[in-house]
Amino acid sequence: MEAQYRPADVERSAQQAWEASGAHRAVETPGKPKYYCLSMFPYPSGKLHMGHVRNYTIGDVLTRFHRMRGYNVLQPMGWDAFGLPAENAAMANGVPPAKWTYDNIAYMKKQLKSLGFALDWERELATCRPEYYRWNQWLFLRMLEKGIAYRKTGVVNWDPVDQTVLANEQVIDGRGWRTGAVVEKREIPMYYLRITDYAPELLTALDSLPGWPERVKLMQANWIGRSEGVNLAFPYTLEGESKLLRVFTTRADTLMGVTFAAVAAEHPLATFAARNNPPLAAFVEECKQGSVMEADMATLDKKGMDTGLTVTHPLTGAEIPVWVGNYVLMGYGEGAVMGVPGHDERDFAFAKKYGLPIVQVTEVPGKPFSLDGWQEWYADKTSCRCVNSGKYDGLDYQAAVDAIAADLGAKGYGEKQTTWRLRDWGISRQRYWGTPIPLIHCDACGDVPVPDDQLPVVLPEDCVPDGSGNPLRNRPDFLDVDCPKCGQPARRETDTMDTFVDSSWYYLRYACPDNAASMVDDRVPYWMPVDQYIGGIEHAILHLLYSRFWTKVMRDLGLITVDEPFANLLTQGMVLNEIFFRKEGARLVYFNPADVEIRTDDKGARIGAVLKRDGQPVETSGIGTMSKSKNNGVDPQALIEQYGADTARFFMMFTSPPEQTLEWSDSGVEGSYRFLRRVWVFAQEQSATIGAVAGTTFTAADATLRREVHTVLKQATYDMERKQFNTVASAGMKILNALQDAVGTASAAALREGTGILLRVLYPVTPHLTHVLWSELGFGSDITVAPWPDVDAAALDRSEIELVLQVNGKLRGSITVAKDATREAIEHLALENPNVQKFVDGQPVKKVVVVPGRLVNVVV
RNA sequence: GCCCGGGUGGCGAAAUCGGUAGACGCAGCGGACUUAAAAUCCGCCGGUGGGAAACCGCCAUGCCGGUUCGAUUCCGGCUCCGGGCACCA
């Protein structure tokens, strides 16, 4: 036995034992309850960051806890290996994305192993392998056959200098990241998946997910965005032809207040009007500049220009001017909106800016309407009544919508409609490092799907992107192919798939990663659904929604039977660290917190911070997510090397509950290390006493220790079940404190019992340390198969309890009573209490509230 | 701009159903051990007023208001911070 705690030795020994016994292999065992514990797979960016350590420690704690509880647990790991950073690295270093990616995977796998996660590495997968992505291609072709995948144009960010499509991330303040050129919107052909067909189910099925956080379900519901309204038409005549300008509105009750219509810059009406109107043509061009990001669109200055054209109001017959608005998007509905400046905040501002009429058509009693400024209630639809609306005057929101929809319907100018905010999923990317879209372009036959027997379409792994577009375009060996239909020379599609495709079904493939003949097999129904999914809150919408959609498509294709992929979801908070900087001229220079020393006053309150190197002050701009740009990252590798994996894991679990953000603290890490060392030293010092004891005969002197240990165990069990691991970690500290206090008074049997509980409570968090101590103290040969300890209810029993005394809700003392004392006896004791009497001060007692087991409140 | 979440001591946090606010830890202060340092151990540790002390009072969970015998917890409004916004993953 080592007297000193040496994490490196302990962890090597434990990991070798697990490796040798195959402790983490998951084998389908019908009849045994299964638990599929999945953490979001990492993007192989180079090395693990603290967010990974946190994510995978949470998963590992759940995995090991459920094994203790008798579940057959699967915890797999893989690599979300396609993506933009590999291309950026290629541009920077000239290394092919494939090599960069595979090197990163090898390094990060080593790191994951050093953290001791109970992963079944035999199921490892990487999405950049043809064995994996061939099934992306295969399923895409099935979707194409079913009409779920289809082709249409989409808008992308276009860098006019580099002549390439930019990702949103590559657009900074409306300009290309490398060229600085103003980005343009450009329409190109793309492939889309009809996720909108699944919108109703994606929305209603949220109710079947009690294990998901409410806030995530709420975000998804808002994202899907069901809204009921009226699709209505403004008729107009263009070059002698009768046409309809269609708009959707949720406020048909305000139709009588329409004073203009606005169309997107790309709308045919705008194009027509701009033909002989150079200023308008210039404005339309201006609208096409800037990024396609919604946040940019929503915050940009609302601008418009009159087209000079008019449409006819469908009910009043009035002429309504048509404007081009930079805030109207062609992709939503039909690219046109009706303007009701009296009751829509955006329209109000637009009308004020351009001098358009503003008409009040609803009112809320007692609230004056004024054109001076926007008031929240103008848009109210809960207590409003129509005014200035002719026959609709006096109707409330719903009655007005019904009546107006009916009148529009009678004229053929509209009907009620349910619409969704959700848009179809565009999966085409004009990039190299992704799954090739399995299509062939033939001059004679058009877009021809690659036949199944020619899958996978293998991505060449030796390309090096240079920023000038997709390098596949310069690869004749990839491009040139015979048309599968007519046999004539044709061209392969060079677009690849969105990497969200890869991550939309990887959790299914872990069940059968070795199956070369089919995408899924009968091992999938054994493991699915995922019982616990763990990942960053930043994935609350897109990845999770796409995965749900993909699952439903595969179900409808008869490939799987589950409706939802993830039964329970835990969204972990981000890992933050302080940001230190100095202004050097115009730019900010950031310093890593490890190089900064905090100055405090004699109460420990911070008074400043200096750079260790030169002793000069640095400024802080608060805390933020660990990032390269802010130089506030902490490398997990250094942490593991200095303190060991168990300390890293313990610190991560102890410092914050899983769903909250976690703030880095060097001294917090040292505190965690100190605690684990105390556990080790305690076990060594006591091993002679408790290592050999058999039996569970306790003495009267053991009652205090046993009550404390079992009370804490009960709480820790509850906390483990609700995944509040920070208090599980502190439970370990409390048990150790109790054990140390009891040395000398409690019997060896009680100390042994408490130590066994301590090791098993800590095991899911710090498996290495507890694995070694468990066998050294003779509890058993292998803690990985030990059960979670049971609470001994008898140890919790008390004959007397303490009740808090309050007068008017303020704490005024306490009394000790027998645990089965009657209400009358308690009231009597409380009223007799001198301190209570002092504060009652002779006033008449109005009532006495007795909360059993807790308190007595005397109200005067 | 829109959607979602959060704010409790010097710091990370705890408080399970509305019932003793601050468990556990970090930092700090005081002490023991030591030639010394490190490590370890013991004690104190929200603010404020009174008191020599024991102790007693008042204030305090971002801000303002409400419900309640009683609010960190429930409701309304505000404010600041964080996440997402469809081509970062």
Side-chain angles (χ1 to χ4, degrees), chain A residues 691-762:
Chain A
V693 186
T696 51
T697 313
F698 303 115
T699 67
D702 293 336
T704 308
L705 172 64
R706 296 196 69 236
R707 185 183 307 120
E708 175 70 10
V709 167
H710 283 274
T711 302
V712 175
L713 170 62
K714 188 178 175 190
Q715 182 67 41
T717 306
Y718 177 79
D719 288 341
M720 196 61 117
E721 283 164 353
R722 64 174 176 154
K723 306 176 191 82
Q724 187 170 290
F725 307 123
N726 55 328
T727 46
V728 174
S730 50
M733 292 175 163
K734 288 178 185 176
I735 295 173
L736 180 63
N737 289 346
L739 287 168
Q740 289 189 318
D741 288 348
V743 169
T745 54
S747 70
L751 289 172
R752 180 176 176 80
E753 182 201 32
T755 304
I757 289 171
L758 172 65
L759 293 180
R760 281 175 292 168
V761 165
L762 289 177

Side-chain angles (χ1 to χ4, degrees), chain A residues 209-224:
Chain A
L209 296 172
W212 280 41
E214 280 307 317
R215 62 171 161 152
V216 173
K217 289 192 277 188
L218 201 52
M219 280 192 262
Q220 292 222 344
N222 288 334
W223 185 263
I224 295 164

Side-chain angles (χ1 to χ4, degrees), chain A residues 800-806 811-819 821-837 848-851 853-858:
Chain A
E800 291 187 319
I801 52 173
E802 191 188 31
L803 292 180
V804 160
L805 297 178
Q806 295 183 338
L811 178 66
R812 298 300 179 198
S814 65
I815 48 173
T816 302
V817 299
K819 71 170 177 186
T822 63
R823 190 189 171 92
E824 289 69 28
I826 290 169
E827 270 191 38
H828 184 73
L829 274 171
L831 291 168
E832 253 185 359
N833 183 277
N835 223 29
V836 168
Q837 289 190 345
V848 179
V849 180
V850 177
V851 183
R854 288 215 178 256
L855 57 73
V856 186
N857 187 14
V858 179

Side-chain angles (χ1 to χ4, degrees), chain A residues 18 21-27 32-37 59-76 116-121 123 527 720 763-764 767 782-788:
Chain A
W18 299 333
S21 69
H24 311 321
R25 287 279 290 127
V27 179
K32 194 174 174 190
K34 64 92 185 175
Y35 185 81
Y36 183 178
C37 185
D60 204 49
V61 169
L62 287 164
T63 290
R64 291 178 186 269
F65 175 64
H66 281 84
R67 287 213 174 125
M68 294 177 100
R69 283 279 176 103
Y71 288 90
N72 185 27
V73 183
L74 166 59
Q75 186 182 223
F117 297 131
L119 295 162
D120 182 355
W121 282 104
R123 295 170 186 261
W527 291 111
M720 196 61 117
Y763 164 73
D782 187 0
I783 198 172
T784 63
V785 295
W788 183 258

